[in-house]
Amino acid sequence: MNEYLLLLLSTALVNNVVLVKFLGLCPFMGVSKKMDSALGMGMATTFVLTLATAASWMLEHWLLAPLGIEYLRILAFILVIAAVVQFTEMAIRKASPSLYQVLGIYLPLITTNCAVLGLALLNVQEKHAFVESLLYGFGSALGFTLVMVLFAGLRERLALAQVPATMNGAPAGFILAGLLSLAFMGFAGLANH
Amino acid sequence: MLAAVVSLTALGASLGLMLGVAARKLRVEGNPLAAELEAMMPGSQCGQCGFPGCAGAANALAEGSAPVTLCPPGGRDLAVALAAKLGIEADLSGVKDSGPLVAEVQEDICIGCTRCYKVCPTDAIMGAAKHIHAVFREACTACGKCVEACPTEATRLVPVPVTLQSWYWPKPGSNPVSTALAA
C-alpha cells in the first residue's frame, strides 16, 4: 500500500510529466489561458490517460508479447489511444455540452498528446505490473492536472501585469513555464527522504 | 507476419465496432428544427447577428428568442423563408432589402494589406501582400466583414452586376413599372 502511495506521489510531483519529463507541452501552453478550461482539460486527460495506460498494458501483455509482435507497439498503442479519446469525446459531449464547447479542438488533440503515448511506452519499458501501470498513468495525470491549473492561475495573473511589449504573451509564458519547472525540481529533494 | 496482420486488423475492427456502439448509445439529440434552420442560413459564420456562428443563430431562432430578420447577408428572402418555416408572421418593416449584393475591391485605392482577405469567412477574396485584391463573386455572401476591415475604404458592397448570364426576366408584380401600369 505504502509503495503504491509512493509511486503516486513520485509520478505526480517528483517526476512530473510536464515539468520534469517535458511531455504534453502542447495543451500545457495551449489550454492554460483560463482556469476553467485548464481544469476541464486536466480532467479529460486524466480520464484518457488512466484508461489508455490500462488498455495498453492489457494489449502489451495479452496480445503483443504472446504473439511476439512487440515491434508494432507504437502503432497498436496509438490505435487504442485514439479509440479511447473518441469515446471520451462522445461521453463529454453527452455529459457536459458546455465543457465540450470550451475544450473545442483540444479534445480530439489529446490523441496526439505525447504524454499519453509516452506514459504507455514508459510503462512497458519499466516493466510495471497492471496496478502499478494504472497508478503510474493516474498519478502522472494528476500531476498534469495540477500543473495545468497552477500554470493557468499564473497566466491569469500575468495577463494583468505590465509586461514589456516584446515579451508579452507567449514569451512571458515560456519563461513562466521555465520558472515553474525550476520550482518543481525542488520536489526532487523528496526522493532522498 | 500473418499474426501481426490478423491481430491488428482484429484490434482495429473491434475498436471500431465498440466506438460505433458507443456512438449509438451516447448520441446527443440535437434540436431537429435548429438543424433545419441552420441548413437554410448562409453558413458563412460571419457573426453579424451577434450569435456565435449560424448554429448559434439557428438555436436562438428555434427557441424563439431572436427575430427572423436577424441575418443581414440573408436579407429579406431568408427572413420570409424562416418565417414560413417557423409558421410566424415576419416583421419586415426593419429590413432594408437592396437586392443581392456582392463585395468589390476598388483597385485604385487598394493597398494590398490583406486585411479583407484574412477576415473573409468564405475565402472569396484572393490576394497577397502588396498586391491588389480581387473578389470571387460566386463565393461572396456579402457579409460585409471586409468593408469593416479595409483601412482605405477600398472594399464596398455593390449590387450584383447584371450580365447576360445572370439577368433574368423579372417576376410579374415585382416590377414597379408593371404594377403601376396595372393599377
Side-chain angles (χ1 to χ4, degrees):
Chain A
M1 192 63 215
N2 209 5
E3 195 182 322
Y4 290 147
L5 268 180
L6 207 63
L7 182 69
L8 209 59
L9 200 68
S10 126
T11 47
L13 295 177
V14 182
N15 290 314
N16 188 283
V17 61
V18 180
L19 294 176
V20 179
K21 293 202 191 98
F22 300 113
L23 292 171
L25 290 174
C26 162
F28 178 64
M29 293 308 294
V31 204
S32 57
K33 289 224 176 70
K34 279 195 197 131
M35 195 84 102
D36 299 344
S37 48
L39 190 62
M41 187 71 191
M43 298 282 200
T45 311
T46 305
F47 186 73
V48 170
L49 209 50
T50 314
L51 267 184
T53 41
S56 59
W57 187 90
M58 288 188 239
L59 198 64
E60 169 71 22
H61 289 262
W62 295 347
L63 188 76
L64 299 181
L67 291 176
I69 47 171
E70 286 97 340
Y71 58 91
L72 286 173
R73 194 177 287 143
I74 292 181
L75 192 67
F77 281 9
I78 277 289
L79 201 62
V80 168
I81 290 168
V84 172
V85 170
Q86 275 291 316
F87 181 76
T88 313
E89 193 179 343
M90 284 182 222
I92 288 185
R93 195 172 178 189
K94 179 87 176 174
S96 162
S98 58
L99 183 62
Y100 179 77
Q101 275 198 338
V102 166
L103 291 182
I105 181 69
Y106 288 100
L107 197 52
L109 276 182
I110 298 178
T111 313
T112 54
N113 185 343
C114 55
V116 183
L117 180 65
L119 285 173
L121 291 174
L122 277 175
N123 260 333
V124 176
Q125 204 178 39
E126 308 212 345
K127 299 190 175 57
H128 280 150
F130 182 70
V131 180
E132 279 175 352
S133 5
L134 204 62
L135 280 176
Y136 194 69
F138 183 64
S140 301
L142 278 188
F144 179 79
T145 313
L146 175 72
V147 166
M148 285 290 284
V149 171
L150 283 178
F151 194 53
L154 286 171
R155 279 185 92 171
E156 274 184 0
R157 296 201 176 186
L158 195 67
L160 298 174
Q162 286 203 325
V163 180
T166 43
M167 298 299 288
N168 208 356
F174 282 127
I175 291 180
L176 199 60
L179 290 177
L180 199 58
S181 183
L182 275 177
F184 262 69
M185 284 178 82
F187 284 118
L190 273 180
N192 300 332
H193 294 288
Chain B
M1 172 68 192
L2 191 67
V5 172
V6 171
S7 59
L8 271 203
T9 313
L11 183 68
S14 56
L15 283 175
L17 204 68
M18 215 179 68
L19 280 181
V21 172
R24 284 275 175 84
K25 283 264 158 71
L26 294 173
R27 184 165 52 196
V28 179
E29 285 293 330
N31 188 346
L33 179 63
E36 276 183 52
L37 291 174
E38 195 193 339
M40 294 164 70
M41 311 196 88
S44 52
Q45 326 291 353
C46 69
Q48 283 186 84
C49 52
F51 293 100
C54 295
N59 278 334
L61 277 172
E63 284 168 16
S65 58
V68 288
T69 52
L70 83 175
C71 182
R76 176 185 287 265
D77 288 350
L78 181 67
V80 170
L82 288 176
K85 183 91 201 164
L86 293 166
I88 54 173
E89 277 298 304
D91 175 24
L92 295 172
S93 56
V95 185
K96 242 190 357 229
D97 200 1
S98 43
L101 295 173
V102 75
E104 182 197 60
V105 177
Q106 288 165 276
E107 292 175 355
D108 45 349
I109 38 179
C110 174
I111 55 171
C113 67
T114 72
R115 282 186 207 176
C116 56
Y117 159 79
K118 283 175 193 153
V119 297
C120 182
T122 59
D123 284 349
I125 297 183
M126 180 184 63
K130 308 253 167 85
H131 289 260
I132 294 168
H133 302 337
V135 178
F136 290 116
R137 293 202 179 118
E138 293 80 4
C140 178
T141 58
C143 72
K145 278 201 161 179
C146 50
V147 179
E148 285 162 31
C150 184
T152 61
E153 298 183 6
T155 49
R156 59 180 178 185
L157 295 177
V158 293
V160 176
V162 178
T163 63
L164 279 178
Q165 276 77 36
S166 67
W167 184 83
Y168 60 92
W169 203 273
K171 283 181 195 158
S174 67
N175 187 339
V177 180
S178 67
T179 40
L181 285 176

